[in-house]
Amino acid sequence: MLIPTVGPIVGHTTSHQTRLFLRGGWQKDTQAFAAVRCRRAGEEHWNNATFTPLSEANDGAAVIDLQGLVADTEYEYQAGWFSSTLGVETLRESPLQWPEPLYRFRTQSSAVTTPRAYIVGSCRYLQMTAGVPWAPQLGDRIFASINTLARNTNPPISALLMTGDQVYIDDLNFIAPDREYEDILAKYRTAFSQPHIAALMSGTPTYMILDDHEIEDNWPANKSRGDEHLYENATRAYELYQASHGPAGTGEGLGQPLDRYWYQFSHGDIEWFVTDSRTRRDLASSEPRMLDLEQEQALCEWLIQSPARVKFVVTSVMFYPDRKSLPDDAWKAFPEQRLRLLETIRTHGIKNVVFVSGDVHGSLTSRLTHSEAPDFDVHTIVSSPLCNSRLLPYAKASTFILDQPLVQTAAGDYRHELMSGVISQDNFAHVIVDTEQIHVRFHDRDGTLLQSTSISLN
């Protein structure tokens, strides 16, 4: 059996189930299979191995769901792939030589109020020229630091949230943009098989959502004639390499088109709603929409009805504050829909709502209040970039509109203030939720603490 060519990646993980992604390969005139086996850490005997066939149509990739696990338990597992003329039932009875790497993951705790910790990041630039990555260690370096933190922190990391631009399909958009499916797949294979990110994702539940660079800069505002071909190829690759191992994926039914990219997941009394703030935009109507009607209604219903103590809303582009530059690709360009979401939170008295995003190549935390509603406050955590390009600037405090209300209405003004400085270098966020506060700690690519702030919970 051979080691995976990409992965394994630990995806959506609950107290009793985890979803694993891996890529193998295939050989002409034989059937290829992916295989995974797991056991509780420290035990001698393995659970029965799970096999799934691989195909060229899915780029030799597979998703395997491990069921019937025990909550808050460390498991170790092995994963690989091989070619065989035997059927699955015969393989179950056949001895296999498993690859040496031994991976570990932990199932989620079933306790409701236990403290949880997360890693949040976005915008990982990895340039490829003629199919060859340029200095890939630069884009991978920060994941070594995240790995070190994850191994030595308590509470354990419940999830890695990657909130957009995990790959840059358009890294050379002005010279030779990638448009063909095979070229896009090559970027995913390279980006996710670098040693440090591979090590991190093999043991940490990883949740992803796309932003514009998974397709094209400022998509769909920059969409041009003939870009339907690009969009089809880019989203097909996104579904295979990012969405497949998350809650929006279809598990072992890999390769089936997804109805939607947005999804929810929960950890005790902490819940996440991860929006698709890129592919469902409507720019043509008199009232532009960031989120389509179905997604907006689902988000509002979740905000109102969910009993979660803490509600994180992921939107790959910034919810607030607004940037000074025009035109704007973020929520500034969708004021009516943003106001409806804020009014939903205010009028229903919803507490402890935090918007999480990336995109701007700068990190910060900020607080939003209302002039006539003293009990209203909404926070935002922005974490970006994991690795910047030398061609792209970092955001600074002067990038944002901070000297005037975010929104002025007849019912009062929404006013915001920075709760931290604006970090203008490669970084990631370590977010810890306990019973009284959310602690946000930003670290540089070497793992050094840059700054920390706390958000009080109501």
Side-chain angles (χ1 to χ4, degrees), residues 125-140:
Y125 192 83
L126 178 67
Q127 180 178 311
M128 292 181 65
T129 304
V132 178
W134 182 83
Q137 70 278 5
L138 298 180
D140 197 41

